[in-house]
Amino acid sequence: MTRRHIAAVGLALFVIASDRVYAQPAEAVPLGYGVGATTPAPRLTIDPPALGTTVAIRATALTPGAAGALVLARGAAPLALPSGAAAFVDLGDVRAWIPSASDAAGRFEHAIAIPSAPALLGIELVAQGYVSSSAPAGIDVTNGIRLRVGSHVTPPSGALAGLPSTGGPGLRALQSLAPGSWVDLGVPAPDPAHGLATGRSYTPRLAPAAHLGGAFFTGEGTHGYVVPATGRYVDDVWFYDLAAHRWICVKPGSHVATLALRLNEDRFEVDAQGAPIPVAQLGHGYELVTVDESRRAFVMVAAPNTYWTNAMPQRLAWLGNVSLPASQAASPWLFEEATGRWRREPPGATRPTLDVTGRSVVVHYVPSRRATWCWDKSAAQRRTVWYFDASTYRWSPVALAQDGPRITGTGVSCFDRTRERIYFFAVDETGTAFRLWFFDVATSRWVDTGATGMPPLAGRTPYVSAYAGLTFDDASGRVLVRLTGPSASYPSFHVFDPTTGAFDPEPIAPPAALRSHFTFAATNAFYAGDYDAHILHVAGERGRTGRFLAFRLGR
């Protein structure tokens, strides 16, 4: 980048300095996904822009030797492009247009020095890159990134220190994965102190954290279970580091013989140092976890149960009432990466009344709102969605013009980052058929997709989270529905295309050599956009560990 281009970026920042706010951490939040001539998809990464630092900008997986540009502009609602990608920049309010040619490896890089000027604090821009290519639309387009200038960048600490990993066996295995192909990543390396995570039923998804290079994983499997080898309850929280293919234990399970806590002034459980400690806060994982990409925190909406009473009866001594945890369900748990500690606070008077079984609640972080979206299918909450702002620890309701989906049993979900839609798959209120809906964030309304070619219910129960899961394939803009049963021991994968409103005629099955891994195992999954791969954890319950498989759908 020339000095003239650097000066242009600096001028762009100063021109909108009227947006400045108080000092805060710098932000770099990905928006949507890239689309190009090849797989994996073009990817843009940018360091969070903190005062007095030099920000590295990298675009990869582009057509080699092609001319293009990096665009810095005000953010805008996603504008659909012919390629299937979306523009997140306001092309009528561009602040810098930086020529950017990809090299022989399909990359371009820039470095921008951010002045140590307090007037820049809080300024926001969106960045997105493109180069010419042989793709149908004639260009490769990267994802967008929403940038906010901050006073500092705080790297992950504690268990997450050193993330993201820069390489390892997971990355090497995925680099050569062809569209429509599978790879067995194998058993991950164990956490040095706490070993391997075990299987969890009714926990369809892990919560991806792209900026950390992996996903968070939690939820009880067998209710009230204590692992005999460790004496720990299954309320542990893990992080799967995909590139290094290893488990990191974020919170070990409660040690049932020695657990000793107290209540703080807010009546939350804390340890001797006053740090909040989550104990038995989820039944199963259901759809209760997400990652706040602005706050850089793992978010867990509580659904406490009483299955712990046999394993940890001493807990009643400080709780005083077995129902106290359930009464606090509207106070989400945050695991903050910067501190490596849990956080929990009273949520204020305006709060949802959530189904504390957890079976009805769905949460996803929505970048445009800087908040966690939450919906409860129960009759009392069906016509409202809630947004939880982790920076203020407050809930905000949005009344809907019509009811959300009326279902039987439980449902599973995924998030389309580009269109900002939350897809929800469940058995309808008649109990006779599957249905697929989406919630459109921009218009605050539920839409029944009316999908054709829907897979049959075929004797499965309405408790969909026991045998199904959704992941959204960013690279192709399609929904992948994972269904196990009623007769097969391995899942089938059904592809829904939002542009046609139809499922593909034929489902996808894992290769014969991998099918035995699904036998007597729970499946938990996430989509790794950086690698364009669906990552599946398959493991048995009751202390049994498992392995990871990966699948690339392709376009």
Side-chain angles (χ1 to χ4, degrees), residues 186-270:
V187 178
D191 179 88
H194 298 285
L196 298 168
T198 58
R200 311 293 158 100
S201 61
Y202 288 85
T203 301
R205 58 183 170 94
L206 293 82
H211 61 283
L212 295 176
F216 289 90
F217 179 52
T218 190
E220 291 183 22
T222 303
H223 287 311
Y225 186 70
V226 178
V227 180
T230 64
R232 293 188 179 276
Y233 195 80
V234 284
D235 57 359
D236 41 357
V237 180
W238 298 80
F239 185 82
Y240 174 58
D241 178 359
L242 176 55
H245 188 47
R246 60 171 178 149
W247 281 117
I248 297 171
C249 186
V250 174
K251 174 203 172 288
S254 300
H255 193 260
V256 298
T258 61
L259 182 72
L261 302 175
R262 62 182 176 86
L263 299 184
N264 67 7
E265 62 274 15
D266 296 317
R267 297 183 59 76
F268 296 135
E269 289 175 284
V270 297

Side-chain angles (χ1 to χ4, degrees), residues 267-269 279-282 301-306 308 315 319 321-331 333 344 351-358:
R267 297 183 59 76
F268 296 135
E269 289 175 284
V279 178
Q281 290 297 304
L282 298 181
V301 173
N305 59 68
T306 57
W308 53 268
R315 194 176 175 212
L319 289 179
N321 186 331
V322 72
S323 63
L324 176 62
S327 72
Q328 300 169 333
S331 290
W333 287 89
R344 201 182 197 198
R351 63 180 76 177
T353 302
L354 298 173
D355 173 10
V356 294
T357 69

